[in-house]
Amino acid sequence: MPTSALVARCTQRLVDDWRRMRAQADASLGRFLDLCTYGHMIDNVVLIVTGTLHERDVQELLDKCHPLGTFDSMATLAVAQNMRELYRLVLVDTPLAPYFSEHLTHEDLDEMNIEIMRNTLYKAYLDDFAAYCDELGGTTKEVMSELLAFEADRRALNITLNSLGTELTRDDRRKLYSSFGLLYPYGHAELSVAEDFDQIRAAMERVPQYAPLFGRLGYGETGMLDKLLYEEEAR
């Protein structure tokens, strides 16, 4: 069996089991399971909008979308020309609407603005997910706090790395960081003003949980960072 076919079958099994569990969930578990899928939904929106920008076939893009993040009006994403149209024509009727509506602009959907949109949506989404887990309390809060904090911190790190040498200002960076995590708020203050990788590294190493991870990197070495972050996420 080709690797792609194996991945497709495993993914479909996950989706089937997920939907079966969602159908039997009570209100609080249902909300939790829905929140788990919103990240896939954001990624799907960005995939289609970016692909359309590069004149890719819409059906080909839809086939690449994660099935846990699909929604009925996804194909019409391709007609939007700016952020406001994207919301008004498509996203207003999706669960992403509350995360999107506060940040509407008439700016064209170029690659920079699409990436800002992705990170803006993720910030609002992760903040909402963390607040809901805090509300639930108990084991859910204990386990999810660590997982969500890592995701928020990783996104803050990547936002900073990807904005080096761009027009994104310090204030723009800070607006994209989540409002929680091990880096919040002092690490965010350092990352927002970092001008090179060594300054980013220094900010990360001040957090005891991340010091060992960066200790495995040679100075000036960034190629292994994604691999180390992936391993930490799996752990």
Side-chain angles (χ1 to χ4, degrees):
M1 179 185 295
T3 304
S4 59
L6 179 61
V7 170
R9 290 191 183 185
C10 289
T11 301
Q12 190 57 53
R13 175 62 185 270
L14 167 67
V15 171
D16 291 343
D17 288 348
W18 190 276
R19 289 175 176 165
R20 190 177 301 112
M21 183 164 57
R22 177 64 184 87
Q24 301 179 56
D26 62 13
S28 59
L29 177 58
R31 169 69 173 157
F32 178 85
L33 293 174
D34 288 343
L35 281 163
C36 289
T37 67
Y38 292 170
H40 295 304
M41 196 174 291
I42 294 170
D43 290 339
N44 286 350
V45 169
V46 172
L47 172 65
I48 292 177
V49 174
T50 304
T52 302
L53 184 66
H54 292 284
E55 300 181 346
R56 300 279 296 277
D57 179 70
V58 174
Q59 187 56 53
E60 178 188 347
L61 296 169
L62 289 171
D63 291 342
K64 292 179 179 296
C65 288
H66 196 289
L68 283 181
T70 57
F71 51 91
D72 292 340
S73 55
M74 276 179 56
T76 58
L77 287 166
V79 305
Q81 299 297 313
N82 58 53
M83 301 287 189
R84 192 174 294 275
E85 285 186 4
L86 190 66
Y87 176 77
R88 181 175 59 82
L89 297 175
V90 186
L91 299 180
V92 67
D93 294 321
T94 74
L96 299 183
Y99 308 142
F100 200 98
S101 57
E102 296 178 10
H103 310 286
L104 298 179
T105 72
H106 288 290
E107 293 178 356
D108 291 337
L109 290 170
D110 59 27
E111 291 195 19
M112 172 66 84
N113 288 328
I114 291 171
E115 196 57 31
I116 291 174
M117 177 188 74
R118 181 212 296 269
N119 286 305
T120 301
L121 289 172
Y122 256 105
K123 169 192 160 45
Y125 157 58
L126 290 174
D127 286 349
D128 189 27
F129 202 172
Y132 184 67
C133 291
D134 284 346
E135 178 185 326
L136 290 175
T139 304
T140 301
K141 176 180 178 180
E142 179 183 348
V143 173
M144 291 303 298
S145 291
E146 182 178 1
L147 293 172
L148 292 173
F150 174 76
E151 181 62 23
D153 291 344
R154 177 170 60 175
R155 297 197 72 82
L157 171 62
N158 286 333
I159 287 165
T160 309
L161 284 169
N162 293 335
S163 65
L164 294 178
T166 71
E167 297 177 359
L168 210 65
T169 67
R170 296 173 178 182
D171 287 341
D172 290 336
R173 282 187 197 175
R174 294 196 71 164
K175 290 176 184 176
L176 298 175
Y177 300 155
S178 294
S179 301
F180 69 100
L182 302 181
L183 292 169
Y184 178 81
Y186 302 111
H188 288 176
E190 290 190 58
L191 288 177
S192 67
V193 299
E195 296 180 351
D196 56 41
F197 180 72
D198 288 341
Q199 291 179 2
I200 293 172
R201 178 181 189 140
M204 297 297 296
E205 286 183 334
R206 287 189 178 86
V207 179
Q209 290 86 335
Y210 298 135
L213 187 150
F214 277 80
R216 295 166 61 187
L217 285 176
Y219 273 90
E221 179 186 351
T222 60
M224 286 286 292
L225 184 56
D226 284 342
K227 179 176 183 295
L228 293 175
L229 290 170
Y230 181 80
E231 290 175 354
E232 179 64 12
E233 178 187 31
R235 182 195 67 76

